[in-house]
Coordinates of all heavy atoms in Angstrom, one line a residue:
M1 N 0.8 -1.2 0.0 CA 0.0 0.0 0.0 C 0.9 1.3 0.0 O 0.6 2.2 -0.7 CB -0.9 0.0 1.2 CG -1.9 1.1 1.3 SD -3.0 0.9 2.7 CE -1.9 1.5 4.0
G2 N 1.9 1.3 0.8 CA 2.8 2.4 0.9 C 2.4 3.4 1.9 O 1.7 4.4 1.5
Y3 N 2.8 3.2 3.1 CA 2.5 4.2 4.1 C 3.3 5.5 3.8 O 4.4 5.5 3.3 CB 3.0 3.7 5.5 CG 2.1 2.6 6.1 CD1 2.7 1.6 6.8 CD2 0.8 2.6 5.9 CE1 2.0 0.6 7.4 CE2 0.0 1.5 6.4 CZ 0.6 0.6 7.1 OH -0.1 -0.4 7.7
H4 N 2.7 6.6 4.2 CA 3.4 7.9 4.2 C 4.1 8.1 5.5 O 3.6 7.8 6.6 CB 2.4 9.0 4.0 CG 3.0 10.4 3.9 ND1 3.8 10.9 2.9 CD2 3.0 11.4 4.9 CE1 4.2 12.1 3.2 NE2 3.8 12.4 4.4
V5 N 5.4 8.6 5.4 CA 6.2 8.7 6.6 C 6.2 10.2 7.1 O 6.3 11.1 6.3 CB 7.6 8.3 6.3 CG1 8.5 8.5 7.6 CG2 7.7 6.8 5.9
R6 N 6.0 10.4 8.4 CA 6.1 11.7 9.0 C 7.0 11.6 10.2 O 6.8 10.8 11.1 CB 4.7 12.2 9.4 CG 4.7 13.7 9.8 CD 3.3 14.2 10.2 NE 2.8 13.4 11.3 CZ 1.5 13.3 11.6 NH1 0.6 13.8 10.9 NH2 1.2 12.6 12.7
I7 N 8.0 12.5 10.2 CA 9.0 12.5 11.3 C 8.7 13.7 12.2 O 8.6 14.8 11.7 CB 10.4 12.5 10.8 CG1 10.6 11.3 9.9 CG2 11.4 12.6 11.9 CD1 11.9 11.3 9.2
D8 N 8.7 13.5 13.5 CA 8.6 14.6 14.5 C 10.0 14.8 15.0 O 10.6 14.1 15.8 CB 7.7 14.2 15.7 CG 7.5 15.3 16.7 OD1 8.3 16.3 16.6 OD2 6.6 15.2 17.5
Q9 N 10.6 15.9 14.4 CA 12.0 16.2 14.7 C 12.2 16.5 16.2 O 13.3 16.4 16.7 CB 12.6 17.3 13.8 CG 12.7 16.8 12.4 CD 13.6 17.7 11.6 OE1 13.6 18.9 11.8 NE2 14.3 17.1 10.6
D10 N 11.2 17.0 16.9 CA 11.3 17.3 18.3 C 11.6 16.0 19.1 O 12.1 16.1 20.2 CB 10.1 17.9 18.8 CG 9.9 19.3 18.3 OD1 10.9 19.9 17.9 OD2 8.8 19.8 18.3
L11 N 11.2 14.9 18.5 CA 11.4 13.6 19.2 C 12.7 12.8 18.7 O 13.1 11.9 19.4 CB 10.2 12.7 19.1 CG 8.9 13.2 19.7 CD1 7.7 12.2 19.3 CD2 9.0 13.3 21.2
C12 N 13.2 13.2 17.6 CA 14.4 12.5 17.0 C 15.6 12.7 17.9 O 15.9 13.8 18.3 CB 14.7 13.1 15.6 SG 16.1 12.3 14.9
M13 N 16.2 11.5 18.2 CA 17.4 11.5 19.1 C 18.7 11.3 18.2 O 19.7 11.0 18.8 CB 17.3 10.4 20.0 CG 16.0 10.5 20.9 SD 15.7 8.9 21.8 CE 17.1 8.8 22.9
S14 N 18.6 11.5 16.9 CA 19.7 11.4 16.0 C 20.5 10.1 16.1 O 21.7 10.0 16.0 CB 20.7 12.6 16.3 OG 20.0 13.8 16.2
S15 N 19.7 9.0 16.4 CA 20.4 7.7 16.5 C 20.9 7.2 15.2 O 21.8 6.4 15.1 CB 19.4 6.7 17.0 OG 18.4 6.3 16.0
G16 N 20.3 7.6 14.1 CA 20.7 7.2 12.8 C 20.2 5.9 12.3 O 20.5 5.4 11.2
K17 N 19.4 5.2 13.2 CA 18.9 3.9 12.8 C 18.0 3.9 11.5 O 18.2 3.1 10.6 CB 18.0 3.3 13.9 CG 18.8 2.8 15.1 CD 17.8 2.4 16.2 CE 18.5 1.9 17.4 NZ 18.5 0.5 17.5
C18 N 17.1 4.8 11.4 CA 16.3 4.9 10.2 C 17.1 5.2 9.0 O 16.9 4.6 7.9 CB 15.2 5.9 10.4 SG 15.7 7.6 10.7
V19 N 18.1 6.1 9.1 CA 18.9 6.5 8.0 C 19.8 5.3 7.5 O 19.9 5.1 6.3 CB 19.9 7.7 8.4 CG1 20.8 8.1 7.3 CG2 19.0 8.9 8.9
A20 N 20.3 4.5 8.5 CA 21.1 3.3 8.1 C 20.2 2.2 7.5 O 20.6 1.6 6.5 CB 21.8 2.8 9.4
D21 N 19.0 2.1 8.0 CA 18.1 1.0 7.5 C 17.5 1.3 6.2 O 17.3 0.4 5.4 CB 17.0 0.8 8.5 CG 17.4 0.0 9.8 OD1 18.6 -0.5 9.7 OD2 16.7 -0.1 10.7
A22 N 17.2 2.5 5.9 CA 16.5 2.9 4.7 C 16.9 4.3 4.2 O 16.2 5.2 4.3 CB 15.0 2.9 4.9
P23 N 18.1 4.3 3.6 CA 18.6 5.6 3.1 C 17.9 6.1 1.9 O 18.0 7.3 1.6 CB 20.1 5.3 2.8 CG 20.2 3.8 2.6 CD 19.2 3.3 3.5
G24 N 17.0 5.3 1.3 CA 16.2 5.7 0.2 C 15.0 6.5 0.7 O 14.2 7.0 -0.1
V25 N 14.8 6.5 2.1 CA 13.6 7.2 2.6 C 14.0 8.3 3.6 O 13.4 9.3 3.7 CB 12.7 6.2 3.3 CG1 11.5 6.9 4.0 CG2 12.2 5.1 2.4
F26 N 15.0 7.9 4.4 CA 15.4 8.8 5.5 C 16.8 9.4 5.3 O 17.7 8.7 4.8 CB 15.4 8.1 6.9 CG 14.1 7.4 7.2 CD1 13.8 6.1 6.8 CD2 13.2 8.1 8.0 CE1 12.6 5.5 7.2 CE2 12.0 7.6 8.3 CZ 11.7 6.3 7.9
R27 N 17.0 10.6 5.8 CA 18.4 11.2 5.8 C 18.5 12.2 6.9 O 17.4 12.5 7.6 CB 18.6 12.0 4.4 CG 17.8 13.2 4.3 CD 18.0 13.9 3.0 NE 17.3 15.2 2.9 CZ 17.2 15.9 1.8 NH1 17.8 15.6 0.7 NH2 16.5 17.0 1.8
F28 N 19.7 12.6 7.2 CA 19.9 13.6 8.2 C 19.8 15.0 7.6 O 20.4 15.2 6.5 CB 21.2 13.5 8.9 CG 21.2 12.4 10.0 CD1 22.2 11.5 10.1 CD2 20.2 12.4 11.0 CE1 22.2 10.6 11.2 CE2 20.2 11.5 12.0 CZ 21.2 10.6 12.1
D29 N 19.2 16.0 8.3 CA 19.3 17.3 7.8 C 20.6 18.0 8.4 O 21.4 17.3 9.0 CB 18.1 18.1 8.2 CG 17.9 18.4 9.7 OD1 18.8 18.1 10.5 OD2 16.8 18.9 10.1
G30 N 20.8 19.2 8.2 CA 22.0 19.9 8.7 C 22.2 19.9 10.2 O 23.3 20.1 10.7
D31 N 21.1 19.6 10.9 CA 21.2 19.6 12.4 C 21.3 18.1 12.9 O 21.1 17.9 14.1 CB 20.0 20.3 13.0 CG 20.0 21.7 12.7 OD1 21.0 22.4 12.8 OD2 18.9 22.3 12.5
E32 N 21.5 17.2 12.0 CA 21.6 15.7 12.3 C 20.2 15.2 12.9 O 20.2 14.4 13.8 CB 22.7 15.4 13.3 CG 24.1 15.8 12.7 CD 25.0 14.6 12.5 OE1 24.9 13.6 13.3 OE2 25.7 14.6 11.5
L33 N 19.2 15.8 12.4 CA 17.8 15.3 12.7 C 17.3 14.6 11.5 O 17.5 15.1 10.3 CB 16.9 16.4 13.2 CG 17.3 17.1 14.4 CD1 16.5 18.4 14.7 CD2 17.2 16.2 15.6
A34 N 16.6 13.5 11.7 CA 16.1 12.8 10.5 C 15.0 13.5 9.8 O 14.2 14.2 10.4 CB 15.6 11.4 11.0
E35 N 15.0 13.4 8.5 CA 13.9 13.9 7.7 C 13.7 12.9 6.5 O 14.6 12.1 6.3 CB 14.2 15.3 7.1 CG 15.5 15.3 6.2 CD 15.8 16.7 5.7 OE1 15.2 17.7 6.1 OE2 16.7 16.8 4.8
T36 N 12.6 13.1 5.8 CA 12.5 12.2 4.6 C 13.1 12.8 3.4 O 13.2 14.0 3.3 CB 11.0 12.0 4.3 OG1 10.3 13.2 4.3 CG2 10.3 11.1 5.4
V37 N 13.6 12.0 2.5 CA 14.2 12.5 1.3 C 13.1 13.0 0.4 O 12.0 12.7 0.6 CB 15.1 11.4 0.6 CG1 16.1 10.8 1.6 CG2 14.2 10.3 0.1
P38 N 13.5 13.9 -0.5 CA 12.4 14.5 -1.4 C 11.6 13.5 -2.2 O 10.4 13.7 -2.3 CB 13.2 15.4 -2.3 CG 14.5 15.7 -1.6 CD 14.8 14.4 -0.8
D39 N 12.1 12.5 -2.7 CA 11.4 11.6 -3.5 C 11.6 10.2 -3.0 O 12.3 9.4 -3.6 CB 11.8 11.7 -5.0 CG 10.9 10.9 -5.9 OD1 9.8 10.5 -5.5 OD2 11.4 10.6 -7.0
P40 N 11.0 9.9 -1.8 CA 11.4 8.6 -1.1 C 11.0 7.4 -1.9 O 10.0 7.3 -2.6 CB 10.6 8.7 0.2 CG 9.5 9.7 0.0 CD 9.9 10.6 -1.1
E41 N 11.9 6.4 -1.7 CA 11.7 5.0 -2.2 C 10.4 4.5 -1.5 O 10.2 4.8 -0.4 CB 12.9 4.2 -1.8 CG 12.9 2.8 -2.2 CD 14.1 2.1 -1.6 OE1 15.1 2.8 -1.1 OE2 14.1 0.9 -1.6
V42 N 9.7 3.7 -2.2 CA 8.5 3.1 -1.6 C 8.9 1.7 -1.0 O 9.3 0.8 -1.7 CB 7.4 2.8 -2.7 CG1 6.2 2.1 -2.1 CG2 6.9 4.2 -3.3
L43 N 8.7 1.7 0.3 CA 9.1 0.4 1.0 C 7.8 -0.3 1.4 O 6.7 0.3 1.5 CB 9.8 0.7 2.3 CG 11.2 1.4 2.1 CD1 11.9 1.5 3.5 CD2 12.1 0.7 1.2
D44 N 7.9 -1.6 1.6 CA 6.7 -2.3 2.0 C 6.3 -2.0 3.4 O 7.2 -1.5 4.2 CB 6.8 -3.8 1.7 CG 7.8 -4.5 2.6 OD1 7.6 -4.5 3.8 OD2 8.8 -5.0 2.0
D45 N 5.1 -2.1 3.7 CA 4.6 -1.6 5.0 C 5.2 -2.3 6.2 O 5.5 -1.7 7.2 CB 3.0 -1.9 5.1 CG 2.3 -1.0 4.1 OD1 2.9 -0.1 3.5 OD2 1.1 -1.3 3.9
E46 N 5.5 -3.6 6.1 CA 6.1 -4.3 7.2 C 7.5 -3.8 7.5 O 7.9 -3.7 8.7 CB 6.2 -5.8 6.9 CG 4.9 -6.5 7.0 CD 4.2 -6.3 8.4 OE1 4.9 -6.4 9.4 OE2 3.0 -6.0 8.4
R47 N 8.2 -3.4 6.5 CA 9.6 -2.9 6.7 C 9.5 -1.5 7.3 O 10.3 -1.2 8.3 CB 10.3 -2.8 5.3 CG 11.8 -2.7 5.5 CD 12.6 -3.0 4.3 NE 13.8 -2.3 4.3 CZ 14.5 -1.8 3.2 NH1 14.0 -2.1 2.0 NH2 15.6 -1.2 3.4
L48 N 8.6 -0.7 6.9 CA 8.4 0.6 7.5 C 8.0 0.5 9.0 O 8.4 1.3 9.8 CB 7.4 1.5 6.7 CG 7.9 2.2 5.5 CD1 6.8 2.8 4.7 CD2 9.0 3.2 5.8
L49 N 7.1 -0.5 9.2 CA 6.7 -0.7 10.6 C 7.8 -1.1 11.5 O 8.0 -0.6 12.6 CB 5.6 -1.8 10.7 CG 4.2 -1.3 10.3 CD1 3.3 -2.5 10.0 CD2 3.6 -0.4 11.4
A50 N 8.7 -1.9 11.0 CA 9.9 -2.3 11.8 C 10.8 -1.2 12.0 O 11.3 -1.0 13.1 CB 10.6 -3.5 11.0
I51 N 11.0 -0.3 11.0 CA 11.9 0.8 11.2 C 11.2 1.8 12.2 O 11.9 2.3 13.1 CB 12.1 1.5 9.9 CG1 13.0 0.7 9.0 CG2 12.7 2.9 10.1 CD1 13.0 1.1 7.5
A52 N 10.0 2.0 12.1 CA 9.3 2.9 13.1 C 9.4 2.4 14.5 O 9.6 3.1 15.4 CB 7.8 3.1 12.7
R53 N 9.2 1.1 14.6 CA 9.2 0.5 16.0 C 10.6 0.6 16.6 O 10.8 0.6 17.8 CB 8.8 -1.0 15.9 CG 7.4 -1.2 15.7 CD 7.0 -2.7 15.8 NE 5.6 -3.0 15.4 CZ 5.3 -3.7 14.3 NH1 6.2 -4.3 13.6 NH2 4.1 -3.9 14.0
N54 N 11.6 0.6 15.7 CA 13.0 0.6 16.2 C 13.5 2.0 16.5 O 14.7 2.2 17.0 CB 14.0 0.0 15.1 CG 13.9 -1.6 15.2 OD1 13.6 -2.1 16.2 ND2 14.2 -2.2 14.1
C55 N 12.7 3.0 16.2 CA 13.1 4.4 16.5 C 13.1 4.6 18.0 O 12.1 4.5 18.6 CB 12.2 5.3 15.8 SG 12.5 7.1 16.3
P56 N 14.3 4.9 18.6 CA 14.3 5.1 20.1 C 13.5 6.3 20.6 O 13.1 6.3 21.7 CB 15.8 5.2 20.4 CG 16.4 5.6 19.1 CD 15.6 5.1 18.0
G57 N 13.3 7.2 19.7 CA 12.6 8.4 20.1 C 11.1 8.3 19.8 O 10.3 9.3 20.1
R58 N 10.7 7.2 19.2 CA 9.3 7.1 18.6 C 8.9 8.4 17.9 O 7.8 8.9 18.0 CB 8.3 6.8 19.8 CG 8.6 5.5 20.4 CD 7.5 4.9 21.3 NE 6.2 4.7 20.6 CZ 5.9 3.6 19.9 NH1 6.7 2.7 19.8 NH2 4.7 3.5 19.4
A59 N 9.8 8.8 17.0 CA 9.6 10.0 16.2 C 9.0 9.8 14.9 O 8.7 10.7 14.2 CB 11.0 10.7 16.0
I60 N 8.9 8.5 14.5 CA 8.4 8.2 13.1 C 6.9 7.8 13.2 O 6.5 6.8 13.8 CB 9.2 7.0 12.5 CG1 10.7 7.5 12.4 CG2 8.7 6.7 11.1 CD1 11.6 6.3 12.0
A61 N 6.1 8.6 12.5 CA 4.7 8.3 12.4 C 4.4 7.7 11.0 O 5.0 8.2 10.0 CB 3.8 9.5 12.7
L62 N 3.6 6.8 10.9 CA 3.2 6.2 9.6 C 1.7 6.5 9.3 O 0.9 6.3 10.2 CB 3.4 4.7 9.5 CG 4.8 4.3 9.8 CD1 4.9 2.7 9.8 CD2 5.8 4.8 8.8
L63 N 1.4 7.0 8.2 CA 0.1 7.4 7.8 C -0.5 6.5 6.7 O 0.3 6.3 5.7 CB 0.0 8.9 7.4 CG 0.7 9.9 8.3 CD1 0.5 11.3 7.7 CD2 0.0 9.9 9.7
D64 N -1.7 6.1 6.8 CA -2.3 5.3 5.8 C -2.8 6.2 4.6 O -2.7 7.4 4.7 CB -3.3 4.3 6.3 CG -4.6 5.0 6.9 OD1 -4.8 6.2 6.5 OD2 -5.3 4.4 7.6
A65 N -3.4 5.6 3.7 CA -3.8 6.3 2.5 C -4.9 7.4 2.8 O -5.0 8.4 2.1 CB -4.4 5.3 1.4
D66 N -5.6 7.2 3.9 CA -6.6 8.2 4.3 C -6.0 9.3 5.2 O -6.7 10.1 5.7 CB -7.7 7.5 5.1 CG -8.5 6.5 4.2 OD1 -8.6 6.8 3.0 OD2 -8.9 5.5 4.7
G67 N -4.7 9.2 5.5 CA -4.0 10.1 6.3 C -4.1 9.8 7.8 O -3.8 10.7 8.6
N68 N -4.6 8.7 8.1 CA -4.8 8.3 9.6 C -3.5 7.7 10.0 O -2.9 6.9 9.3 CB -5.9 7.3 9.7 CG -7.2 7.9 9.4 OD1 -7.6 9.0 9.7 ND2 -8.0 7.2 8.6
E69 N -3.1 8.0 11.3 CA -1.9 7.5 11.8 C -2.0 6.0 12.1 O -3.1 5.6 12.7 CB -1.5 8.2 13.1 CG 0.0 8.1 13.5 CD 0.4 9.2 14.5 OE1 0.0 10.3 14.4 OE2 1.1 8.8 15.4
V70 N -1.1 5.2 11.8 CA -1.1 3.7 12.0 C -0.5 3.4 13.3 O 0.6 3.9 13.7 CB -0.3 3.0 10.9 CG1 -0.2 1.5 11.1 CG2 -0.8 3.4 9.5
A71 N -1.3 2.7 14.1 CA -0.8 2.3 15.5 C 0.2 1.2 15.3 O 0.1 0.3 14.5 CB -2.0 1.8 16.3
Y72 N 1.3 1.3 16.1 CA 2.3 0.2 16.1 C 2.9 0.1 17.5 O 2.8 0.9 18.3 CB 3.3 0.4 15.0 CG 4.2 1.7 15.2 CD1 5.3 1.7 16.0 CD2 3.8 2.8 14.5 CE1 6.0 2.8 16.1 CE2 4.6 4.0 14.6 CZ 5.7 4.0 15.4 OH 6.4 5.1 15.5
Ligands
SF4_101 S1 15.5 6.2 14.2 FE1 14.3 7.8 15.2 S2 15.7 8.8 16.6 FE2 16.9 7.7 15.2 S3 17.5 9.1 13.6 FE3 15.6 8.0 12.9 S4 13.9 9.4 13.6 FE4 15.7 10.0 14.7

């Protein structure tokens, strides 16, 4: 389906986990806070869920096609 990714930079702890796991979706900005790349690669939902669950700051929200936040 392809969840949309939203990052709350106030919660990002700059661990780099998401950037290491999926550099086609996540990158660091100039302040070493995660952001999405401009034209992100489409990852399958299970992989995105795993990345979001592994974020130590719980900074990654996943939105479904209707814009609703996915619980994980
Ligand atoms: S995994 Fe979470 S805390 Fe780590 S860089 Fe990504 S958004 Fe930030």
Side-chain angles (χ1 to χ4, degrees):
M1 182 176 82
Y3 290 145
H4 178 74
V5 176
R6 189 179 63 203
I7 299 171
D8 184 343
Q9 290 195 325
D10 290 338
L11 297 175
C12 177
M13 300 165 67
S14 305
S15 73
K17 283 174 180 263
C18 60
V19 178
D21 284 349
V25 177
F26 302 91
R27 69 181 183 186
F28 278 135
D29 68 9
D31 295 320
E32 300 245 326
L33 296 172
E35 63 180 10
T36 51
V37 303
D39 186 17
E41 179 186 346
V42 177
L43 299 185
D44 67 67
D45 294 349
E46 283 307 313
R47 199 163 152 211
L48 278 175
L49 279 164
I51 290 168
R53 287 187 190 115
N54 282 335
C55 170
R58 295 195 59 85
I60 300 171
L62 302 177
L63 308 179
D64 66 19
D66 296 324
N68 297 314
E69 202 166 316
V70 178
Y72 62 83

